[in-house]
Amino acid sequence: MPAVAEEGAPGEEEQPPLSCSPVGPEPSLPAAPTEGAEERAEEQATARPQHTSAEPPLDQFRIRKFFVLRPGTLSQAVRDVEALVDGTVDGSVRGVWLMAEVDHWNNEKERLVLITDNSLLVFKYDFVMFNCEQIQRIALNFVDRISCGKFSFPKHSLLQRDGEGVRVFWDRLREPSFTSRWNPFATDFPFVTFTQHPVSTVSDSFSDLCDIQKFQEQLRAAAQKVHAVKPVPGKANGVMVLNELIHIEAYVGLMSFLGNQNKLGYCMARGNIGF
């Protein structure tokens, strides 16, 4: 509050010079607030929400578009795929994982993966319509090699991929044909490749669900157990685990570049399309 000057006429040496301005009423000073008014003002300032200028990162905004993050969506999806497990063939479910499959043309595809007593089940699940569109069943006693490591591409390839992956082989002696390598829709490869799902950083629960290292460890243990109980005649028993580069023989990959940049292999909210 501005200080109020002491009333009274100044001394002779302190007399101000005469002014020709018209004499008017002196401006009134604001009344000093009472003690109760000060307390109410403090309470209102405390109760008033403080505005922060920090905006959520753009990456977090994009991640929230994944339908798998909607409340109850993942739980319903897990119930749906578990209902498709054949108890006589697959046995009991031992682990549920949310992964991204990487095909031979470097395309990412959202997948639910189940490890059971006898099988590795890979589900293409529609998180929008709550519908399982495709099932791939891999017998664990046929799994003979698991490769873990970073991704690599041919020397003159224009593609690149960050992060690490896991590639599961079930017939390491069979090489893909030339036609299959150049067919983007081919599905007769004797291996499947996984990497971390983009929502792995959202929370601790999703981090565990998308943990590629824990997935590899559980898969190896399950396969070793089945190999001991149900060996395949003519095949070497056991699973070989290698830390090596996961090679993807793709060069230009314009389709995969556009698809991966726009997450076309995932169920996401994409906004209004049209005019």
Side-chain angles (χ1 to χ4, degrees), residues 22-50:
V23 178
E26 295 181 0
S28 60
L29 295 174
T34 62
E35 183 178 354
E38 290 180 352
E39 292 179 355
R40 287 194 298 271
E42 291 178 359
E43 291 177 357
Q44 292 176 358
T46 305
R48 186 181 300 117
Q50 299 294 326

Side-chain angles (χ1 to χ4, degrees), residues 5-18 26:
E6 188 174 336
E7 295 181 358
E12 292 181 0
E13 296 180 357
E14 298 176 358
Q15 280 287 352
L18 295 177
E26 295 181 0

Side-chain angles (χ1 to χ4, degrees), residues 210-228:
C210 306
D211 194 321
I212 205 78
Q213 181 64 30
K214 292 181 180 178
F215 167 74
Q216 174 262 322
E217 293 173 356
Q218 187 183 43
L219 177 62
R220 179 186 59 180
Q224 292 279 22
K225 184 177 180 180
V226 177
H227 272 279

